[in-house]
């Protein structure tokens, strides 16, 4: 895939327990790290409940797009695990026991697999491929640039890494993206809007961010640039000068040292 445009990546996290606050999501920050290490970016994330119509509707929408999508949760064998069935419905395909998946279960649990409902763990939309699970060998599945894995981080995270390195190695370039940021203390968004509008017009290939904060010491803005390393450095130099011309000072922001709100 060298030279091909990099499509975006999306994440769907499924589970009532996340939306009720019983558990906190850990998939998003981990996937962000996996992608950043490989010079890739996440375009969007959705947290949705275990409600079957919502899962089906969400997948129907994302399956029509071009993004590579990771889906975490809902592929177990209990009644509240509905992702497999919803994916099949969204695709218009029947569920079918995956032959290799059945063989994996037989190797782990014996033949015939007992109890029989364990076979539901490998009932996937017809034509699906398997994603190996290094923890308990119960696989996830993939279909149409969508990758479905368990909600357990210990299982999902190595499966995510496997997908990225097995299927999207040609997209990876750790040096493809750079990011720099400065803090402009005492400035408000209204002070820099004309500057930012001009900057976006002058540097259309870069992603410009403006993050306002209000702390005990007063207002502050974090202005960030993200994009090709050859563009970010020179553009940030121009931005620093432009901030000074507005009468504000600035200081470097280490991207790993940002203070929480």
């Amino acid at each position: 895939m060298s030279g091909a445009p990099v499509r975006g990546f999306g994440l769907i996290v499924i589970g009532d327990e996340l939306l009720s606050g019983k558990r906190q999501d850990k998939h998003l920050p981990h996937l962000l790290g996996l992608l950043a290490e490989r010079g890739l970016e996440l375009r969007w994330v959705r947290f949705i409940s275990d409600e079957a119509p919502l899962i089906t509707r969400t997948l129907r929408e994302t399956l029509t797009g071009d993004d590579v999508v990771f889906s975490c949760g809902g592929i177990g064998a209990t009644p509240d695990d509905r992702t497999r069935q919803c994916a099949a419905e969204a695709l218009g395909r029947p569920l079918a026991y995956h032959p290799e998946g059945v063989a994996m279960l037989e190797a782990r649990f014996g033949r015939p697999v007992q109890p029989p409902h364990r076979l539901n763990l490998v009932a996937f939309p017809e034509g699906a491929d398997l994603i190996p699970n290094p923890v308990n060998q119960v696989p996830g599945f993939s279909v149409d640039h969508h990758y479905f894995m368990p909600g357990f981080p210990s299982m999902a995270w190595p499966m995510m890494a496997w997908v990225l390195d097995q299927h999207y190695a040609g997209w990876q370039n750790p040096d493809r993206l750079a990011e720099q940021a400065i803090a402009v203390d005492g400035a408000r968004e209204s002070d820099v809007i004309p500057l930012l509008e001009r900057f976006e017009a002058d540097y259309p290939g870069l992603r410009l961010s403006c993050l306002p904060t209000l702390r005990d010491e007063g207002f502050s803005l974090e202005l960030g640039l993200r994009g090709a390393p050859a563009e970010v450095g020179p553009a940030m130099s121009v931005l620093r000068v432009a901030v000074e011309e507005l009468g504000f000072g600035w200081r470097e922001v280490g991207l790993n040292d940002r203070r929480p709100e």
Side-chain angles (χ1 to χ4, degrees):
M1 295 184 183
S2 178
V6 177
R7 292 186 296 186
F9 288 84
L11 172 66
I12 301 172
V13 185
I14 301 169
D16 290 342
E17 67 279 6
L18 297 171
L19 299 176
S20 68
K22 292 179 181 178
R23 291 188 179 178
Q24 299 297 312
D25 171 68
K26 299 179 181 179
H27 295 302
L28 174 57
H30 188 80
L31 179 57
L32 289 172
L34 289 176
L35 293 173
E37 291 169 0
R38 294 161 173 79
L40 303 170
E41 293 185 280
L42 188 69
R43 293 188 63 201
W44 53 266
V45 59
R46 298 189 189 187
F47 294 92
I48 61 175
S49 74
D50 293 313
E51 182 185 354
L54 177 60
I55 299 172
T56 301
R57 185 167 67 249
T58 300
L59 292 175
R60 279 186 178 142
E61 180 181 338
T62 60
L63 283 161
T64 62
D66 292 327
D67 291 331
V68 175
V69 178
F70 291 96
S71 174
C72 298
I75 65 168
T78 58
D80 62 336
D81 290 314
R82 304 181 177 99
T83 304
R84 295 175 290 106
Q85 300 92 320
C86 293
E89 184 176 351
L91 289 159
R93 304 182 189 181
L95 282 175
Y97 293 122
H98 195 289
E100 292 179 42
V102 171
M104 290 178 179
L105 294 186
E106 290 176 342
R108 179 169 173 78
F109 300 112
R111 182 176 183 180
V113 174
Q114 295 294 332
H117 67 251
R118 277 194 172 130
L119 286 171
N120 291 333
L121 292 169
V122 293
F124 301 140
E126 193 172 66
D129 294 317
L130 299 184
I131 304 173
N133 181 341
V135 176
N136 65 359
Q137 288 71 57
V138 178
F141 69 97
S142 66
V143 61
D144 288 6
H145 59 267
H146 278 51
Y147 299 88
F148 298 87
M149 51 204 65
F152 296 107
S154 61
M155 299 181 187
W157 294 356
M159 295 167 81
M160 287 177 178
W162 182 89
V163 168
L164 290 171
D165 295 336
Q166 183 74 19
H167 296 289
Y168 302 100
W171 291 15
Q172 299 179 25
N173 179 1
D175 299 323
R176 186 177 69 86
L177 295 171
E179 185 173 1
Q180 294 185 24
I182 58 173
V184 185
D185 293 330
R188 306 189 187 201
E189 289 178 293
S190 58
D191 296 320
V192 298
I193 287 176
L195 165 62
L196 300 184
E197 290 176 340
R198 185 173 70 250
F199 212 83
E200 281 203 330
D202 291 342
Y203 297 94
L206 296 180
R207 301 269 289 278
L208 173 65
S209 63
C210 178
L211 303 176
T213 58
L214 175 59
R215 306 186 188 280
D216 293 340
E217 56 269 32
F219 287 97
S220 181
L221 293 177
E222 180 183 303
L223 303 180
L225 293 176
R226 184 173 176 84
E231 294 184 68
V232 168
M236 180 56 77
S237 297
V238 174
L239 184 60
R240 294 189 191 104
V241 172
V243 166
E244 293 171 356
E245 290 175 346
L246 290 176
F248 296 102
W250 55 268
R251 53 187 169 82
E252 300 285 351
V253 175
L255 300 179
N256 293 325
D257 300 319
R258 288 169 168 156
R259 293 184 293 174
E261 290 298 314

